[in-house]
Amino acid sequence: MSGTRNLILVLGDQLTPTLSGLAAASPEHDRVLMAELHDEATYVRHHKKKIAFIFSAMRHFAEELRASGWTVDYVYLDAPDNLGSFSAQVAQAVSRHRPERVIVTEAAEWRVSQMQAGWQTQLPVPVDILPDDRFLCTPSAFKEWAAGRKQLRMEYFYRDMRRKTGLLMDGDKPAGGKWNLDAENRKAAAADLFMPRPKACRPDAITQDVLTLTESRFGSHFGELTPFWFAVTRTDAEAAFDSFVEQALPYFGDYQDAMVEDEPFLYHSVIAQYMNCGLLDPLRVCRRVEAAYREGKAPLNAAEGFIRQIIGWREYVRGIYWLKMPGYDRSNFFGHTRSVPDFYWTAETDMACTKAALTQTRDEAYAHHIQRLMITGNFAMLAGIDPYALHEWYLSVYADAYEWVELPNTVGMSQFADGGLLASKPYAASGAYINRMSNYCKSCRYDVKMRTGPDACPFNALYWDFIARHRDKISNSPRMAQAMRTYDRFTTAEQQRIAGSAANFLASL
Ligand code: FAD
Ligand code: DLZ
Ligand code: SF4
């Protein structure tokens, strides 16, 4: 009998000292297991920056745990006893330390949760799977909320979360009288506005080691590894968030939907990667933003808009994920089958808007929401790209990507592949929308005002062709029905030119 009573597995997105698995154990008798795993880095070929970020954050978290008295078995990627997968690593640790039981906090992704469930029968000791209490709404509470509703709409879920947390509430009324100020959050941003950059952190010795390791083991993966500036500790992630609150939050609402050339971050927080791996606590983040509003340091449309993304959208998409998995990943309402175009990996395209979104994706493992939704997502839907292949692309290229949040955003919100379960309408748009919300078109070789021909903005013909192709599937949406009526007023010759332009462009991909 060794000295280990419980073996606690901590996953790479569970880097939270108050994690339920750790709270159920004690540093004196129990042992923590963490492992850098080939399987986790390659089940989709993650962006190099994302792998380095997670490995470095894991190594720093292991140090933090040791400093507070925990015994941590940290299995480095290159360790001789690294077996490459969670299941093999846990089995090895159980046979080595013979604990009385294994404790895990339930995995955020269905794939890993299935592994955890399997350990309950495969391992010779009991396995406790504890709820992940870092979210506001449990999967079963979401299921109850969804039961019997004809339509699941984020807005009503969000109001419940406001009431539950008391965030931006004055008694039982929303602060300022309105629940949702989205209508005030659609300004285009002039390129000469002051735009702060996210706080950059200098890589320390641990991160330098991880960068070398990542280049040597995953050098052929997508993306630029350096410059690497992400925070990898809780303290630095909090400092980065503080800097956002002070500099960018006041403008977050106004310019949430804006896009500006050479400004990859605009007034966005760039904290999803920190929240999703456990370095920042979502509720604390929201309380800090509410405090900035109450102190007069940020307007209500900024604070409400920001809080809605976290207690509304973030929790809502997670609820949908657990409600609909397994199987949700194979949704394909429009029956799209085209492969992801090569330029999604190379950023080599003449479309200035798409090039900008893809270049920063490659360089920073980041694009802001409206770029993901209205540039790469919109293009993919108009071009008829297979939603599953696109989902794998999004899951691999962003530092904040985990299936529970990425999949509903891709399949549901951006591709409408679930037929409207998550989103009330397909987010399909022509070049006119992109031109209204950005300055990309000014430097583009295509003409955003032209509908057809080799110099016309490709989004235009693709948009009208999409409307024509899928009219039977989208006629329920009022906005789409209006677009259909416009299409129907085009002459037959124009409709043929649209079909020809769209086909030519798609053939060139
Ligand atoms: P900000 O714009 O500053 O917003 C603040 C926070 O709100 C974010 O950090 C995030 O936690 C939350 N948030 C905002 N929008 C959403 C949303 N739609 N769903 C869930 N949370 C939201 N987000 C991820 O965290 N991981 C993903 O893998 C991911 N994949 C996406 C794929 C597609 C196709 C689309 C359209 C959106 C995706 N999102 C994803 C949502 C959103 O784009 C990112 O959360 C956001 O861009 C992260 O940047 P930020 O931290 O600067 O966010
Ligand atoms: C994303 C990721 C990567 C790249 N590497 C690891 C790893 O080596 N070890 C680990 O414990 N977790 C990693 N992760 C995060 C896991 O994939 C994540 O915990 C699961 O997807 C469950 O949500
Ligand atoms: Fe994008 Fe079309 Fe504008 Fe070019 S013209 S930047 S392709 S929307």
Side-chain angles (χ1 to χ4, degrees):
M1 180 81 194
S2 81
T4 300
R5 192 183 59 183
N6 297 310
L7 179 74
I8 300 109
L9 174 68
V10 174
L11 308 180
D13 58 355
Q14 297 183 337
L15 309 181
T16 311
T18 54
L19 189 77
S20 55
L22 292 168
S26 82
E28 295 88 66
H29 307 290
D30 301 331
R31 182 181 294 266
V32 172
L33 172 66
M34 296 177 71
E36 294 170 4
L37 299 168
H38 183 265
D39 278 10
E40 291 307 302
T42 58
Y43 71 93
V44 291
R45 286 164 59 85
H46 295 292
H47 193 298
K48 282 184 270 194
K49 252 192 184 114
K50 177 180 184 182
I51 297 176
F53 166 64
I54 292 170
F55 284 7
S56 182
M58 285 174 63
R59 290 185 185 192
H60 283 90
F61 186 67
E63 291 300 306
E64 191 184 332
L65 288 180
R66 284 186 183 124
S68 34
W70 289 94
T71 304
V72 183
D73 276 11
Y74 190 94
V75 187
Y76 291 93
L77 188 77
D78 279 343
D81 59 349
N82 189 315
L83 300 175
S85 73
F86 284 129
S87 296
Q89 219 59 62
V90 173
Q92 182 192 65
V94 167
S95 70
R96 191 176 279 170
H97 300 296
R98 301 189 176 285
E100 288 167 26
R101 60 180 55 232
V102 171
I103 301 179
V104 295
T105 294
E106 64 189 353
E109 296 186 341
W110 192 80
R111 176 182 65 85
V112 183
S113 79
Q114 291 307 102
M115 295 181 202
Q116 292 180 331
W119 302 338
Q120 292 186 310
T121 50
Q122 291 149 12
L123 292 175
V125 293
V127 177
D128 289 354
I129 304 175
L130 304 180
D132 188 344
D133 53 18
R134 298 172 300 166
F135 292 91
L136 293 175
C137 182
T138 63
S140 59
F142 189 87
K143 209 172 179 179
E144 263 171 48
W145 175 83
R149 279 173 200 260
K150 264 210 207 114
Q151 281 195 319
L152 304 182
R153 288 292 164 253
M154 195 288 292
E155 181 61 27
Y156 299 107
F157 172 80
Y158 164 57
R159 291 180 192 181
D160 284 354
M161 292 300 111
R162 288 272 293 276
R163 290 189 191 96
K164 179 174 174 180
T165 56
L167 280 162
L168 292 179
M169 295 298 291
D170 291 335
D172 59 356
K173 299 267 183 314
K178 280 196 206 157
W179 288 103
N180 183 322
L181 281 77
D182 203 23
E184 293 174 30
N185 292 358
R186 292 177 191 152
K187 286 194 190 147
D192 57 358
L193 279 173
F194 164 70
M195 291 174 199
R197 289 268 158 159
K199 188 172 171 6
C201 295
R202 192 190 297 254
D204 65 4
I206 294 179
T207 301
Q208 293 290 3
D209 282 352
V210 165
L211 292 175
T212 307
L213 175 78
T214 306
E215 193 53 56
S216 78
R217 292 288 297 270
F218 308 107
S220 66
H221 282 210
F222 172 73
E224 294 298 324
L225 186 55
T226 56
F228 184 92
W229 52 269
F230 288 145
V232 289
T233 63
R234 183 172 332 285
T235 310
D236 283 347
E238 274 166 8
F241 176 61
D242 283 349
S243 152
F244 159 76
V245 172
E246 277 153 32
Q247 301 201 42
L249 175 66
Y251 311 97
F252 176 86
D254 285 353
Y255 301 118
Q256 204 178 333
D257 287 0
M259 295 173 279
V260 177
E261 195 146 41
D262 297 327
E263 290 295 342
F265 311 106
L266 280 172
Y267 301 102
H268 293 273
S269 65
V270 198
I271 60 161
Q273 72 277 22
Y274 304 141
M275 281 193 292
N276 294 352
C277 77
L279 292 185
L280 288 182
D281 174 52
L283 195 53
R284 255 176 71 136
V285 158
C286 291
R287 297 231 184 274
R288 169 101 171 75
V289 165
E290 175 172 24
Y293 159 68
R294 301 274 183 204
E295 289 158 16
K297 293 180 180 155
L300 184 57
N301 73 322
E304 188 282 318
F306 187 83
I307 288 172
R308 171 161 28 91
Q309 305 312 316
I310 294 180
I311 66 168
W313 280 111
R314 187 172 186 269
E315 294 284 333
Y316 175 74
V317 299
R318 177 173 180 260
I320 297 271
Y321 176 77
W322 284 106
L323 191 66
K324 292 293 166 186
M325 281 300 278
Y328 192 62
D329 51 349
R330 296 289 173 177
S331 311
N332 194 351
F333 181 63
F334 293 124
H336 286 160
T337 54
R338 190 176 293 278
S339 324
V340 175
D342 280 353
F343 69 78
Y344 271 54
W345 301 107
T346 62
E348 281 168 24
T349 167
D350 286 343
M351 293 182 284
C353 54
T354 315
K355 190 180 186 67
L358 294 168
T359 303
Q360 67 179 75
T361 299
R362 181 195 65 203
D363 294 350
E364 307 291 3
Y366 179 82
H368 58 75
H369 184 68
I370 216 70
Q371 293 176 309
R372 298 187 204 194
L373 185 64
M374 298 311 292
I375 307 285
T376 45
N378 179 29
F379 180 87
M381 181 168 64
L382 300 183
I385 291 169
D386 170 15
Y388 186 84
L390 187 73
H391 142 63
E392 292 199 310
W393 182 81
Y394 276 108
L395 186 56
S396 62
V397 301
Y398 292 116
D400 55 37
Y402 296 86
E403 195 180 77
W404 63 267
V405 52
E406 173 278 326
L407 183 70
N409 269 297
T410 303
V411 157
M413 190 185 299
S414 94
Q415 300 304 293
F416 206 72
D418 62 5
L421 174 83
L422 185 142
S424 54
K425 57 177 188 285
Y427 284 95
S430 68
Y433 171 86
I434 296 170
N435 193 30
R436 192 162 62 247
M437 297 312 299
S438 78
N439 62 355
Y440 293 135
C441 302
K442 284 193 189 130
S443 64
C444 186
R445 95 141 186 82
Y446 294 111
D447 184 343
V448 71
K449 297 269 174 356
M450 286 174 72
R451 201 181 287 142
T452 57
D455 295 328
C457 166
F459 280 85
N460 291 340
L462 289 176
Y463 173 76
W464 292 112
D465 189 55
F466 171 83
I467 302 278
R469 273 193 342 259
H470 293 304
R471 58 187 308 138
D472 54 324
K473 294 204 160 149
I474 57 180
S475 52
N476 286 342
S477 154
R479 188 191 290 183
M480 291 288 119
Q482 197 192 333
M484 265 156 48
R485 283 193 293 277
T486 306
Y487 177 84
D488 290 341
R489 284 198 294 272
F490 294 155
T491 61
T492 310
E494 179 66 355
Q495 291 179 351
Q496 282 167 353
R497 277 194 293 275
I498 287 172
S501 271
N504 283 343
F505 181 79
L506 291 175
S508 75
L509 286 182

